[in-house]
Amino acid sequence: MSKISNVVDPCLVELFGFPGSGKTSIARYAVQELRHNSSVLPFYYGKHGKLPFRTSHFPGALALCLRVMRGALHGSHARELTRMARAVDSLLILGRARLELRGEPIVLFDQAVIQKLYLMRVQDQVTAEAIESALEVLEPELSDFYVMVDTPPDVAAERFSSRNKRSSIRPFKRWSTEDVASLYGRQQCVLQWMADWFERSEVITLIRLDGQLPIEENGQLLAREIERLATCHPNGSL
């Protein structure tokens, strides 16, 4: 049997945590660590390239939207349809990664679907049941591994306020660090609900990183985990 016929979908690894928790910095350091000290190099989505939407993707996109809508309505989760709809564009990216990056052992996302399910608005009165309902509907399309960067709200808010990323300006324009920390504090339970749900899942694996550790240390931890995943993955031996 040829190697090509043995190619399977890549393992998708997605980081999540508050803006300012260190997701991007940790992912970059992990990739740099692997480049210098390992034969494993994941495809870092967005940095190594992107997969733009094309006309040929439309049938699959429509089918996904219908599956999400049907799952929400049939499961009596209609109230969470807006939350799930915000995640569809990222779900489509994950689907394209599985299809078009076959042959890669690992595809790394410093953020994707999960970032769309919380911090929706200041008035968001989300419950554990609502988050779990959304995850249940979206589960077949989610990444294989989730890395939670668990950073205290005040620490993440301070980092968020001090950085200069253009994307940092949009969500909380003219907010003080205290305002951001207050929102993060109210949403911290949401991250924990997600982490708990991932730990109960039979098809998704959760990795926790302490966001108060130095970026370098967390980057090394993530690099070792990626190397382990790649070694176990069928595409890793191609």
Side-chain angles (χ1 to χ4, degrees), residues 2-8 102-105 230 233-238:
S2 70
K3 288 185 177 181
I4 296 300
S5 61
N6 288 331
V7 173
V8 298
R102 287 171 62 88
E104 295 282 351
H233 195 279
N235 292 345
S237 60
L238 291 179

Side-chain angles (χ1 to χ4, degrees), residues 151-168:
T151 307
D154 57 331
V155 175
E158 182 64 38
R159 292 175 182 170
F160 174 87
S161 299
S162 63
R163 69 187 187 180
N164 295 316
K165 289 175 62 175
R166 290 179 59 84
S167 60
S168 300

Side-chain angles (χ1 to χ4, degrees), residues 106-146:
I106 307 291
V107 180
L108 176 65
F109 295 84
D110 57 27
Q111 62 179 349
V113 174
I114 300 306
Q115 294 295 116
K116 303 293 183 69
L117 299 181
Y118 61 98
L119 296 177
M120 293 179 66
R121 54 189 179 274
V122 177
Q123 300 82 8
D124 189 22
Q125 301 296 321
V126 64
T127 64
E129 182 182 13
I131 287 295
E132 291 174 2
S133 297
L135 291 172
E136 286 170 6
V137 172
L138 302 178
E139 183 178 42
E141 319 295 336
L142 294 177
S143 294
D144 306 291
F145 283 78
Y146 280 92

Side-chain angles (χ1 to χ4, degrees), residues 92 217 232:
L92 291 170
E217 186 172 344
C232 299

Side-chain angles (χ1 to χ4, degrees), residues 45 49 62 90 106 170 172 211:
Y45 191 86
L62 180 59
S90 295
I106 307 291
R170 294 196 297 270
F172 314 119

